[in-house]
Amino acid sequence: MNIYDTLERIENNNFSDTFEKLYGSSENVLCYQKQRYLNAVKCFEKVYPQRNDIRIFSAPGRTEIGGNHTDHQNGCVLAAAVDPDIIAVVSFHHDGVVRVKSEGYDAFTVKLDDLSVQENEKGSAALVRGVIAKFCSLGAEVGGFDIYCTSDVLSGSGISSSAAFEILIGTIVDTYYNENRAGAVEIAKIGQYAENVYFGKKSGLMDQMVASVGGLVSIDFYDTENPDIMSFNFDFEKYGYCLCITDTKGSHADLTDDYVTIRSEMESVAKYFGKEQLRQVDENAFYDAIFKLREKCSDRAILRASHFFSENNRALQEADALRNGDIEKFLRLVNKSGDSSAQLLQNLYSNLKPTNQEIPLAIMMSKRILEGNGAVRVHGGGFAGTIQAFVPLKLEKRYMDEMDRIFGENSCRKLRIRPSGGVEII
């Protein structure tokens, strides 16, 4: 589509139906998104003045609702795509390169004549190379494109900016160079491949799958090659609650070992039973063997394994509760999940920095404000970062104001569940 035609159509609200689907019906929000898209197109024009024909894409962040550290053990999770997203203005060509400029970051170029892993390549460039390399191995002939991105999925905000970016690139490539043959599930796997192999982070598949599929997503990873995926919708505000994420501003630096240790300790318990992941271990057999397990595994590993078994079941129960409209049961399960993460999984703060306890502080203050209503838990990987709360609408302003007072302005963010994953904006 011609740049000037696109600008005119955005100005004339031709995209309003799409914006409302992705971002909700609030007039303020729609005005913000309209201006955001206009600015993105204008910035693209400045960065790439030689390009005229453009297309626009979007990929969302995600929030984990149930299944804290279960996905890497082939377990079950409940998560949701949310309205903060990355948008990209794109022009396709056959120059043999991908040029990327993201708002607030230095531009970079990925040459397509060598798609092997580059040992010194970091960050987004590695992810772009990895996604394209995987598509090419599947038969796509990627010529190249220029892209300008702007993101509301802030890095470190706990809603997975890396997965959103991977799904964005995957959606762009699949749409233009692969005739949409891959689809949402395969795009998620491609994103995980790029993150694991090219970026060097051994993540599970949950983040990419939710960002790609969209909506509330219940996933069973028992068969990682063919996960059982169920997407559905649930309007929390209809039941009197809103979903809030608070960034506690804790540093994510030096936390890799904390995340890796959770996985390795869980797998040490599985290994005792001759299995690779805990999902393959019978829960009753685990509890029967605890006396002997202590000879081979640490007590913390046993506690973390216990968390897996209960959390895996809870993720399924939470999805069922929402599908049945039982909000009270859902909230009880979320609170139990939070207690299990604190007491068994032990991922509320790092033992390397035991006096830095932003997450426990935020949970303590949340419970004080909620006074037994709603629910609160650690969000995502833990150790530092964000908490999640389901807040009664009557307490929404008080809760958000208090979180902002403690952790800084705009630390608390109200999220809306987005019904779609990676999409082209048409």
Side-chain angles (χ1 to χ4, degrees), residues 41 45 66-67 77 90 105 137 156 212 218 282 314-315 323 341 353 364 409 420-421:
V41 174
E45 186 180 19
V77 300
V90 184
Y105 295 90
S137 74
S212 191
S218 176
D282 180 77
R314 266 191 300 270
R323 285 195 292 265
S341 290
K353 303 174 183 177
M364 179 271 289
E409 187 176 358
S420 57

Side-chain angles (χ1 to χ4, degrees), residues 211-379:
S212 191
V213 172
L216 272 157
V217 188
S218 176
I219 312 173
D220 185 340
F221 287 114
Y222 185 80
D223 180 355
T224 54
E225 291 301 313
N226 297 286
D228 185 9
I229 303 165
M230 180 177 292
S231 180
F232 62 100
N233 291 312
F234 184 87
D235 186 348
F236 284 102
E237 294 202 5
K238 178 182 175 182
Y239 287 83
Y241 292 88
C242 63
L243 169 59
C244 293
I245 296 291
T246 299
D247 181 1
T248 66
K249 306 297 171 52
S251 173
H252 287 76
D254 303 322
L255 293 179
T256 299
D257 287 346
D258 289 300
Y259 299 133
V260 170
T261 299
I262 287 181
R263 182 170 188 160
S264 64
E265 288 185 355
M266 287 185 177
E267 290 175 356
S268 73
V269 175
K271 184 178 180 180
Y272 173 87
F273 295 94
K275 307 297 184 181
E276 294 183 0
Q277 282 87 28
L278 284 174
R279 184 65 186 282
Q280 302 163 331
V281 176
D282 180 77
E283 182 176 358
N284 291 327
F286 160 74
Y287 283 106
D288 289 343
I290 283 180
F291 175 76
K292 292 183 178 180
L293 264 173
R294 296 188 71 202
E295 298 175 1
K296 300 291 185 179
C297 305
S298 69
D299 289 343
R300 189 175 68 177
I302 294 170
L303 291 172
R304 285 174 163 171
S306 177
H307 164 82
F308 167 81
F309 288 115
S310 60
E311 185 74 354
N312 194 59
N313 292 329
R314 266 191 300 270
L316 294 171
Q317 293 169 19
E318 288 169 350
D320 286 342
L322 290 180
R323 285 195 292 265
N324 293 329
D326 192 343
I327 189 67
E328 295 304 322
K329 180 179 179 180
F330 168 78
L331 295 171
R332 288 195 300 271
L333 290 165
V334 172
N335 280 322
K336 286 182 178 180
S337 173
D339 291 343
S340 182
S341 290
Q343 298 163 13
L344 302 178
L345 187 60
Q346 301 176 45
N347 68 330
L348 268 58
Y349 61 91
S350 173
N351 288 324
L352 296 175
K353 303 174 183 177
T355 60
N356 292 6
Q357 299 198 18
E358 299 91 349
I359 288 177
L361 175 63
I363 290 175
M364 179 271 289
M365 286 303 302
S366 295
K367 290 182 176 180
R368 176 178 171 83
I369 298 165
L370 295 175
E371 296 181 331
N373 299 297
V376 60
R377 66 186 282 267
V378 64
H379 181 249

Side-chain angles (χ1 to χ4, degrees), residues 134-192:
K134 190 63 174 177
F135 267 104
C136 289
S137 74
L138 297 174
E141 296 183 7
V142 181
F145 49 92
D146 295 342
I147 176 172
Y148 179 86
C149 298
T150 181
S151 177
D152 279 347
V153 189
L154 302 179
S155 179
S157 64
I159 51 178
S160 198
S161 57
S162 59
F165 184 74
E166 293 154 17
I167 298 309
L168 180 74
I169 300 300
T171 302
I172 290 169
V173 174
D174 193 43
T175 300
Y176 190 80
Y177 287 110
N178 199 44
E179 298 180 348
N180 293 303
R181 286 191 293 263
V185 172
E186 190 62 34
I187 289 173
K189 294 178 182 178
I190 291 170
Q192 184 199 25

Side-chain angles (χ1 to χ4, degrees), residues 50-234:
Q50 73 278 21
R51 304 298 179 195
N52 186 40
D53 289 328
I54 61 170
R55 295 165 76 164
I56 305 176
F57 296 82
S58 162
R62 69 94 186 101
T63 182
E64 173 202 284
I65 293 175
N68 197 211
H69 282 280
T70 55
D71 61 328
H72 53 70
Q73 296 301 302
N74 293 17
C76 300
V77 300
L78 175 64
V82 289
D83 47 352
D85 66 343
I86 306 177
I87 63 173
V89 183
V90 184
S91 183
F92 295 94
H93 52 67
H94 292 279
D95 293 354
V97 300
V98 173
R99 304 180 185 93
V100 179
K101 169 60 180 163
S102 295
E103 182 181 13
Y105 295 90
D106 292 335
F108 64 86
T109 299
V110 173
K111 296 181 179 180
L112 303 183
D113 57 356
D114 181 4
L115 293 176
S116 62
V117 176
Q118 308 294 305
E119 293 299 330
N120 296 322
E121 189 171 55
K122 305 295 182 182
S124 297
L127 295 176
V128 170
R129 192 182 302 275
V131 168
I132 293 174
K134 190 63 174 177
F135 267 104
C136 289
S137 74
L138 297 174
E141 296 183 7
V142 181
F145 49 92
D146 295 342
I147 176 172
Y148 179 86
C149 298
T150 181
S151 177
D152 279 347
V153 189
L154 302 179
S155 179
S157 64
I159 51 178
S160 198
S161 57
S162 59
F165 184 74
E166 293 154 17
I167 298 309
L168 180 74
I169 300 300
T171 302
I172 290 169
V173 174
D174 193 43
T175 300
Y176 190 80
Y177 287 110
N178 199 44
E179 298 180 348
N180 293 303
R181 286 191 293 263
V185 172
E186 190 62 34
I187 289 173
K189 294 178 182 178
I190 291 170
Q192 184 199 25
Y193 169 83
E195 187 160 313
N196 289 177
V197 178
Y198 281 73
F199 189 75
K201 181 180 178 182
K202 300 301 180 183
S203 67
L205 185 57
M206 180 188 72
D207 293 353
Q208 293 86 352
M209 192 64 73
V210 176
S212 191
V213 172
L216 272 157
V217 188
S218 176
I219 312 173
D220 185 340
F221 287 114
Y222 185 80
D223 180 355
T224 54
E225 291 301 313
N226 297 286
D228 185 9
I229 303 165
M230 180 177 292
S231 180
F232 62 100
N233 291 312
F234 184 87

